[in-house]
Amino acid sequence: MTTQPQPTALSTELPLGLSSAPFADCVDDAFFFPSDQHLRALEFMGQLLWTRARLGVVTASHGCGKSLLISRLLHSLDERIVAAAVSKESLSPRDFLLEVLRQYGFALEDSDKTDRRRLLERFLHHQASMSRVCLLVVENPQEMHPSVLEELRYLAAVEVEGRRVLKVLLLGQPALNRVIESPKMIELLAGGINRFTLGALTEDQAAAYIAHRLRAAGAANPDVLMPHTLMSRIHACTGGIPRQINRLGARALACAAEDGADSVTPEALNRAIAELGWQSRVPAAPVESNRHKGEAAQICGKLILSMQGAPDRELILDHDRMLVGRGEEADIRIDSVFVSRYHALIVRHDHQDLLLDLGSTNGVLLSSRRILRRVLKDGDVIQIGPARVIYLNPLALPAAQPDPAETICFARPGFPPMPGEDDTNGTVIAFGQPDGLISGGR
């Protein structure tokens, strides 16, 4: 009989010189990772407030960051929006109404005999008379009793002068789609429904997510603390689910600290995987041919960075991961308010240099198009804020197949293509306000 490894006891002291726990399961805006899809989800939720649709639905697998999305949304609302968020699942209809009232600021005791539905209705009427929009965010409604959903349906139907006064945003797991399509929810859907699906992180996004969490926890150099060479294994074991990444990351840090190491080693990661019982998730190591090894040794791209009023800089891409941004911790630092602190990441992946936008405010532009990621090609000209960046590497391997993310362009409405550029193959999506791409970076 084989004995399962016992989990390493997590020390009360933070490991490896961190100022806070980087992978703690907490709702803290400092740890919000602005991946492209999370930013799109936020934009989707914000747009719900100003469209005719009164129901928005965001679905995601367990652990994909719905709670952080809710926190981020609520902190971004202005005084025109009156919001309440309900995350408790085991509620009776009466307790659900009580929780909604409390979230809207009413100080009511459990024993209060007030007609809660009537009180909520009067509250909604009053807010409408003040030209305010009421938003009700409900997390995991698919776990709630059908009678609670009936109360939700009733509230969503409240009208003032023929206008629905409550916007409802539901965030839950994929099973939520079956709930809202049930016959009892038809009336709720009558005013229109907008949907958004939040997926798992890609391997590159997972690497950027880990680096972001480590920086937020005080790590001066995340690449040293948790090397990029471990990211493929971490992604394979976690499926790109943030909560799973947090579990494995916390365990790996604890194992490394127990070993007295100053970074997470492959041995510490393997022990963490074993303690979590995730060995079966680890894929077999690929066999790399000698030809590829030789190619990998030869390939080393470089960037020529030009800015008005400053001499050109030549930067060798001699690390597996290089952060581009405004912050002091950036490997390639561009000191400009139009560049985000964590703007982009250049990752060595499968003998190629991959450029990944980290959800920056003003984006990464290639021929006036905003791209999400790109396998860099020799001679590519990239615009990052005021900096013009040329990628040079005549030995760079071409992409194995077209990347759909390269065809997605976020551009200002009316932003013209470059002279002679064919714009028929791209999908152009108007993003934000007309001046959305020229605001200061985060």
Side-chain angles (χ1 to χ4, degrees):
M1 178 182 294
T2 58
T3 304
Q4 286 290 333
Q6 294 300 311
T8 302
L10 292 176
S11 170
T12 55
E13 296 183 3
L14 293 167
L16 307 179
L18 297 171
S19 59
S20 61
F23 300 111
D25 189 12
C26 62
V27 180
D28 185 341
D29 269 2
F31 290 99
F32 176 77
F33 174 62
S35 75
D36 170 68
Q37 60 177 337
H38 284 81
L39 291 177
R40 288 192 189 208
L42 281 173
E43 185 188 18
F44 164 83
M45 293 189 290
Q47 286 178 344
L48 172 70
L49 299 170
W50 311 114
T51 61
R52 295 181 64 86
R54 57 192 175 91
L55 175 65
V57 178
V58 177
T59 54
S61 298
H62 181 65
C64 279
K66 296 186 294 292
S67 297
L68 267 175
L69 272 179
I70 294 173
S71 173
R72 188 79 167 194
L73 173 69
L74 296 180
H75 280 90
S76 67
L77 300 178
D78 60 29
E79 65 278 358
R80 295 172 296 171
I81 312 298
V82 182
V86 177
S87 57
K88 297 180 180 179
E89 298 171 6
S90 301
L91 294 172
S92 67
R94 185 169 172 79
D95 288 340
F96 172 76
L97 293 176
L98 176 62
E99 182 64 19
V100 173
L101 284 166
R102 285 174 172 170
Q103 292 299 318
Y104 275 131
F106 288 84
L108 297 176
E109 299 294 333
D110 292 348
S111 57
D112 196 296
K113 301 299 182 182
T114 303
D115 185 336
R116 296 169 184 177
R117 182 189 282 188
R118 177 61 179 162
L119 182 58
L120 263 174
E121 189 174 343
R122 290 170 57 191
F123 172 77
L124 294 175
H125 277 259
H126 174 70
Q127 297 303 322
S129 70
M130 302 289 289
S131 299
R132 296 191 183 115
V133 176
C134 288
L135 172 67
L136 176 59
V137 182
V138 183
E139 190 172 1
N140 292 323
Q142 76 279 354
E143 304 293 339
M144 294 180 173
H145 194 275
S147 57
V148 174
L149 297 179
E150 178 64 22
E151 291 293 346
L152 182 61
R153 184 196 63 78
Y154 173 82
L155 291 175
V158 173
E159 294 185 354
V160 174
E161 298 179 353
R163 181 171 58 90
R164 302 289 174 91
V165 296
L166 180 66
K167 298 280 188 176
V168 179
L169 178 62
L170 307 180
L171 292 94
Q173 297 179 34
L176 175 59
N177 286 319
R178 294 196 299 272
V179 173
I180 62 176
E181 290 166 0
S182 63
K184 289 188 176 181
M185 300 295 284
I186 289 177
E187 186 175 344
L188 180 59
L189 302 179
I193 176 173
N194 291 341
R195 303 187 194 221
F196 188 93
T197 300
L198 190 65
L201 301 175
T202 65
E203 183 178 328
D204 300 312
Q205 289 172 335
Y209 169 83
I210 290 171
H212 175 80
R213 303 272 309 200
L214 290 172
R215 284 193 191 93
N221 195 336
D223 295 336
V224 172
L225 187 56
M226 194 166 284
H228 179 69
T229 52
L230 305 178
M231 296 304 159
S232 178
R233 195 172 180 84
I234 291 173
H235 185 264
C237 289
T238 61
I241 302 296
R243 183 164 294 176
Q244 301 281 55
I245 294 173
N246 291 345
R247 288 185 64 194
L248 182 55
R251 184 66 61 192
L253 286 175
C255 290
E258 187 181 68
D259 293 343
D262 57 3
S263 65
V264 176
T265 62
E267 293 75 21
L269 179 61
N270 288 339
R271 195 161 82 252
I273 292 171
E275 290 177 358
L276 292 170
W278 291 355
Q279 298 95 320
S280 61
R281 303 183 183 184
V282 181
V287 178
E288 188 175 30
S289 68
N290 290 331
R291 181 178 67 85
H292 276 174
K293 289 180 180 179
E295 289 172 343
Q298 296 175 41
I299 296 174
C300 191
K302 65 179 180 180
L303 303 178
I304 306 297
L305 192 149
S306 305
M307 288 181 63
Q308 187 174 6
D312 290 356
R313 285 191 285 161
E314 181 175 306
L315 304 160
I316 305 299
L317 302 177
D318 52 358
H319 291 82
D320 287 335
R321 296 172 71 242
M322 297 189 74
L323 175 67
V324 182
R326 188 182 71 234
E328 295 287 347
E329 62 273 37
D331 302 297
I332 302 172
R333 187 165 182 263
I334 303 174
D335 189 10
S336 168
V337 294
F338 298 104
V339 176
S340 298
R341 186 176 179 185
Y342 309 126
H343 199 104
L345 192 68
I346 299 176
V347 181
R348 176 66 54 81
H349 179 69
D350 287 344
H351 317 304
Q352 299 167 326
D353 288 319
L354 179 67
L355 177 65
L356 177 69
D357 187 341
L358 296 180
S360 60
T361 300
N362 293 321
V364 176
L365 303 182
L366 174 71
S367 300
S368 302
R369 296 180 179 180
R370 182 168 180 172
I371 58 173
L372 305 181
R373 64 175 180 265
R374 177 177 175 84
V375 175
L376 292 173
K377 303 172 184 176
D378 184 45
D380 273 350
V381 180
I382 307 295
Q383 192 76 28
I384 300 177
R388 182 174 181 266
V389 183
I390 303 175
Y391 174 78
L392 299 176
N393 188 354
L395 298 177
L397 298 179
Q401 57 186 4
D403 186 345
E406 290 187 27
T407 67
I408 299 175
C409 166
F410 298 94
R412 282 180 289 173
F415 196 99
M418 294 290 285
E421 178 187 355
D422 181 9
D423 194 41
T424 58
N425 295 325
T427 302
V428 180
I429 304 172
F431 185 85
Q433 299 298 321
D435 60 347
L437 292 181
I438 57 173
S439 60
R442 280 188 297 274

